[in-house]
Amino acid sequence: MVLQQFYEQKKKKIHEIINPGQTQNDTVRLFNDNVFEDTGVTYPLILFKYNNIVWNTSSEKEYKADVDFSVFVILAPSYANDYLESFELARKIDQAILIHPNKSERTKNEQDILNGVTTIPLITNSALKVREGQYTVEDDHWAKNNYYIWEINYSTTLIEKEYKKRYTMISNEFFVQNDIDEDKELVRKNLKEIGYDLDDYNEVEYNGKKLLVYKNVEEHLIVNNKDVEL
């Protein structure tokens, strides 16, 4: 899913900029309040949080999401300094979030896709910084208030190109069997024109009918309250 893809891409970039040369990424993670009660966590810690996601369809082939998200810089309680390092960390996070993948990164990604190293293309949509400031829990004092927290809020638009196709079933009832048998390539060509490639689908038997289900579907498929074996 594009939300996971975007997070993983930005997580990797933030880590590379903040901790160059360090392979293990335990600095950046999704937001969870439990970190403030975990004595084993090391700081500084960077937390990524999706605040609001509004989906809308732009065509039959893709969905767009207007995404509002935050990145938090968490520094452990300390009276030894004035937390000025938070501003340098925020600057590096801006760099990771706001820059586009460069040409060499895109070229490598394209080559990795061709070589089968990955199936995921880089997301190149731009992000905008909306606001930032020190985060505090105003109404209640608990462990979180002991930490210095700087929140940076961003917005972006993400495109899920396979969203509809992933959950689409095609019934062979739409075609006359003789037409398929006699001219499979014509049927295949006509399907491609509306966004379907038969090679992307598994054939599924259900109630005596043959259905085509997108190969990337990993979860259980349920039709009329019954599980369908993929």
Side-chain angles (χ1 to χ4, degrees):
M1 188 178 188
V2 70
L3 295 174
Q4 178 179 343
Q5 184 182 339
F6 181 74
Y7 164 65
E8 289 179 339
Q9 184 173 315
K10 292 306 181 183
K11 173 180 179 176
K12 181 174 181 289
K13 180 58 67 174
I14 292 171
H15 176 73
E16 288 174 353
I17 293 176
I18 291 180
N19 302 305
Q22 182 178 319
T23 55
Q24 183 177 348
N25 185 354
D26 53 6
T27 300
V28 187
R29 62 184 70 182
L30 286 172
F31 189 96
N32 189 320
D33 278 342
N34 286 341
V35 299
F36 299 102
E37 301 169 354
D38 186 349
T39 56
V41 173
T42 57
Y43 294 89
L45 184 65
I46 310 300
L47 300 182
F48 185 106
K49 179 175 179 285
Y50 282 120
N51 299 314
N52 194 37
I53 301 156
V54 179
W55 288 98
N56 61 84
T57 180
S58 58
S59 74
E60 286 299 310
K61 296 180 182 178
E62 65 182 32
Y63 271 53
K64 288 186 177 180
D66 294 322
V67 180
D68 175 270
F69 66 99
S70 293
V71 179
F72 297 84
V73 177
I74 315 293
L75 299 179
S78 172
Y79 294 102
N81 59 54
D82 199 20
Y83 300 111
L84 293 179
E85 63 181 297
S86 66
F87 297 107
E88 178 61 16
L89 288 169
R91 184 190 67 80
K92 292 179 178 179
I93 290 168
D94 274 347
Q95 184 181 350
I97 296 293
L98 300 177
I99 62 173
H100 297 283
N102 59 40
K103 185 176 180 180
S104 63
E105 288 173 324
R106 293 196 303 270
T107 301
K108 182 180 183 304
N109 177 245
E110 290 167 2
Q111 194 61 50
D112 285 345
I113 291 174
L114 288 174
N115 294 338
V117 176
T118 183
T119 59
I120 301 174
L122 286 175
I123 294 174
T124 58
N125 298 60
S126 62
L128 300 173
K129 181 158 70 170
V130 179
R131 60 184 175 273
E132 62 184 314
Q134 189 171 348
Y135 180 89
T136 56
V137 183
E138 301 289 350
D139 301 325
D140 193 20
H141 183 87
W142 69 297
K144 188 188 292 186
N145 275 353
N146 294 331
Y147 294 80
Y148 177 90
I149 306 173
W150 188 261
E151 179 184 4
I152 316 168
N153 179 251
Y154 302 93
S155 67
T156 189
T157 298
L158 300 179
I159 300 173
E160 184 72 90
K161 290 186 178 295
E162 300 290 341
Y163 190 85
K164 275 203 169 183
K165 187 192 290 187
R166 187 175 297 131
Y167 298 104
T168 298
M169 290 194 305
I170 304 174
S171 169
N172 287 346
E173 287 184 318
F174 288 109
F175 309 102
V176 177
Q177 187 64 41
N178 288 340
D179 290 342
I180 297 176
D181 293 338
E182 292 175 6
D183 201 341
K184 290 183 179 179
E185 290 309 310
L186 179 59
V187 172
R188 187 182 295 274
K189 178 176 178 292
N190 290 338
L191 283 171
K192 277 191 174 181
E193 288 181 357
I194 59 173
Y196 301 109
D197 187 336
L198 290 181
D199 291 334
D200 292 339
Y201 292 81
N202 290 317
E203 191 173 282
V204 173
E205 187 86 21
Y206 179 71
N207 279 354
K209 299 177 182 178
K210 291 181 179 179
L211 303 175
L212 298 176
V213 181
Y214 196 53
K215 288 179 181 178
N216 280 7
V217 173
E218 297 177 353
E219 55 269 24
H220 288 296
L221 182 66
I222 298 176
V223 180
N224 296 332
N225 295 321
K226 294 181 180 179
D227 282 335
V228 176
E229 187 71 27
L230 297 181

